[in-house]
Amino acid sequence: MMNRRPIYLDHAATSPLHPKALEAMLPYFTEKFGNPSSVYTIAQEARKALDEAHDKVASLLGARPTEIIFTSGGTESDNAAIKGVALAGRDWGDHIVTTNIEHHAVLHTCNFLEKQGFRVTYLPVDGDGLVTPAQVAAAVTEKTLLVSVMLANNEIGTIEPVAEIARAVKEKSPRTSVHTDAVQGLGALPVDVNRLGVDLLSLSSHKFRGPKGSGILYLRRGTPFTPQQSGGTQERNRRAGTENVAGIVGTAVAMELAVTEREKSAPRLAALRDRLIAGIEGSLEGVRLNGHRTQRLPNNVNFCFEFVEGESILLNLDFLGIAASSGSACTSASLEPSHVLLAIGVPVETAHGSVRFSLGPENTPEDMDYVVKALPGIIQRLRAMSPLAHQPR
Ligand code: PLP
């Protein structure tokens, strides 16, 4: 195949910083370097930038500026949300409800809390990765402090009915808090905290072309919350530590661009996604699309290829200049099959043959066609070497 520019198809792992975000950030590394907590003019420039970022992010989410807490990313936001609500409610509850396809930032936090004496219900999902509002509500008791269900899954792209879940939970138990990990949703789906009806929401800047190491936790006013860091009074006593001013400025700029461009970018990405899905299904036998066919992120394509290892496919794709991933970025270094694929009923051997393509604004229809053309050769070569492919089924 012809040599051409590299094709980056791993936007769910991370996305390139938007040039406008970079430009907005630069002065806060140089002349506007002050500590926002200090009183002199240089510091006040940083303080003003922080205040403006709170205002902008809040208005984009339909929240109040005081309900926005800047964090170091999606992982910290998830940890702060879940531990923060659990520890604040110890006097009346001890139970958390979540699903078994959450990101490890949620699952491992829940595992940690179990060791501290909390009880956690990990709800199963169906073959498409969906959990229903009725299932969630049925698991909620008068001791349930928190429900945490992701807005969209990072591996298989399935979009969960979070607004309906939040409504069902509140009907059954008004004082149970509802959290959603919306890390993969921003820029792809509408994210409005009141429409979703959630009390806490996590975001990560580098997934929407902001800087790495920067994130957002939305915390609805009045939600009981115990901060996870001790120290200064930053972020209204909810997240101690000198603020990452440049990161926060870049976050707000990237978020505004992602949200305002969504109506144009999401349908464009969905068309590319469908072109890639149709191309793969049309050119190869023994493939399985993972995740819901229509209720899925506009930029997510995830396939299992029978009788081959996802890692081998990735290396071969990389050789042709195509960057994709097997499972989530965090697990691609481990040999364990993805917990998400196992949860939707993919057999262990097949789960090893998974590849996720996550698209972004710079991708074109020609990129999709290039991948579709490259894959059959790779898969056939790998299957020819695979002992599994030659066993009778
Ligand atoms: N939650 C989801 C759904 C994610 O996809 C990720 C990153 O892959 C995270 C949380 C963690 O975000 P961060 O990389 O900012 O810690």
Side-chain angles (χ1 to χ4, degrees):
M1 291 187 58
M2 264 180 29
N3 245 348
R4 64 199 299 286
R5 70 175 169 80
I7 303 176
Y8 183 72
L9 294 172
D10 203 14
H11 293 81
T14 197
S15 59
L17 185 65
H18 198 293
K20 287 191 179 154
L22 174 64
E23 190 189 321
M25 290 169 72
L26 287 175
Y28 297 92
F29 291 113
T30 51
E31 72 266 27
K32 298 184 182 179
F33 65 87
N35 185 324
S37 299
S38 304
V39 293
Y40 37 79
T41 308
I42 298 172
Q44 287 317 301
E45 283 180 335
R47 161 61 43 202
K48 186 163 165 280
L50 276 190
D51 290 345
E52 286 171 4
H54 278 99
D55 292 350
K56 183 166 285 176
V57 168
S59 79
L60 293 168
L61 292 174
R64 298 181 179 89
T66 51
E67 295 174 321
I68 302 301
I69 303 170
F70 287 107
T71 67
S72 66
T75 300
E76 183 187 329
S77 296
D78 286 342
N79 271 264
I82 297 166
K83 292 176 188 164
V85 169
L87 296 178
R90 245 190 165 146
D91 54 326
W92 69 268
D94 64 351
H95 182 226
I96 295 166
V97 176
T98 188
T99 78
N100 60 5
I101 61 161
E102 300 295 313
H103 190 273
H104 283 140
V106 168
L107 289 178
H108 290 172
T109 302
C110 289
N111 300 157
F112 168 83
L113 287 173
E114 279 182 293
K115 294 196 189 107
Q116 312 298 310
F118 291 90
R119 293 175 302 121
V120 182
T121 302
Y122 300 92
L123 292 170
V125 294
D126 70 11
D128 289 326
L130 281 173
V131 66
T132 66
Q135 233 183 315
V136 180
V140 168
T141 72
E142 75 279 2
K143 295 276 192 192
T144 307
L145 294 162
L146 180 74
V147 167
S148 180
V149 176
M150 69 202 318
L151 186 56
N153 185 269
N154 46 302
E155 292 188 39
I156 57 172
T158 298
I159 300 165
E160 303 295 340
V162 170
E164 293 76 13
I165 288 171
R167 210 173 310 128
V169 169
K170 294 288 180 184
E171 253 167 42
K172 182 151 182 207
S173 170
R175 69 173 172 172
T176 297
S177 296
V178 178
H179 166 249
T180 191
D181 175 336
V183 164
Q184 294 291 338
L186 196 110
L189 307 170
V191 180
D192 178 298
V193 293
N194 295 316
R195 290 223 184 106
L196 289 171
V198 294
D199 303 301
L200 304 103
L201 180 142
S202 304
L203 291 171
S204 169
S205 310
H206 72 109
K207 310 289 185 180
F208 53 81
R209 306 198 66 190
K212 292 173 182 56
S214 219
I216 296 163
L217 174 62
Y218 160 76
L219 175 66
R220 187 177 291 278
R221 187 161 73 177
T223 307
F225 180 77
T226 303
Q228 292 310 297
Q229 280 178 211
S230 308
T233 60
Q234 290 89 351
E235 297 294 86
R236 296 178 171 252
N237 288 311
R238 295 164 307 186
R239 202 273 185 177
T242 301
E243 300 87 344
N244 171 11
V245 181
I248 290 169
V249 167
T251 293
V253 170
M255 183 165 166
E256 182 167 42
L257 289 164
V259 171
T260 54
E261 285 166 9
R262 187 185 66 80
E263 280 190 16
K264 266 214 268 177
S265 61
R268 194 185 154 270
L269 287 172
L272 292 179
R273 172 197 70 190
D274 295 342
R275 186 182 185 109
L276 184 53
I277 291 175
I280 292 174
E281 290 183 331
S283 61
L284 276 160
E285 302 274 313
V287 297
R288 175 202 150 112
L289 178 71
N290 297 310
H292 199 283
R293 198 166 275 275
T294 52
Q295 206 168 312
R296 78 185 294 132
L297 287 172
N299 70 338
N300 175 289
V301 175
N302 185 317
F303 272 99
C304 282
F305 299 89
E306 280 185 356
F307 311 125
V308 282
E309 290 286 329
E311 299 296 322
S312 315
I313 305 173
L314 293 188
L315 292 176
N316 280 275
L317 287 171
D318 185 34
F319 191 67
L320 297 175
I322 302 165
S325 105
S326 68
S328 69
C330 323
T331 53
S332 64
S334 81
L335 288 174
E336 287 285 300
S338 141
H339 68 285
V340 176
L341 296 180
L342 297 182
I344 61 170
V346 178
V348 178
E349 320 79 67
T350 314
H352 276 298
S354 74
V355 176
R356 176 188 69 184
F357 303 96
S358 46
L359 324 183
E362 80 284 3
N363 293 135
T364 63
E366 292 71 41
D367 291 349
M368 304 302 107
D369 298 346
Y370 183 75
V371 176
V372 169
K373 228 170 129 193
L375 270 173
I378 294 173
I379 303 296
Q380 278 152 21
R381 232 182 8 260
L382 292 172
R383 280 184 183 159
M385 297 187 298
S386 162
L388 292 172
H390 304 298
Q391 281 168 17
R393 281 208 267 166

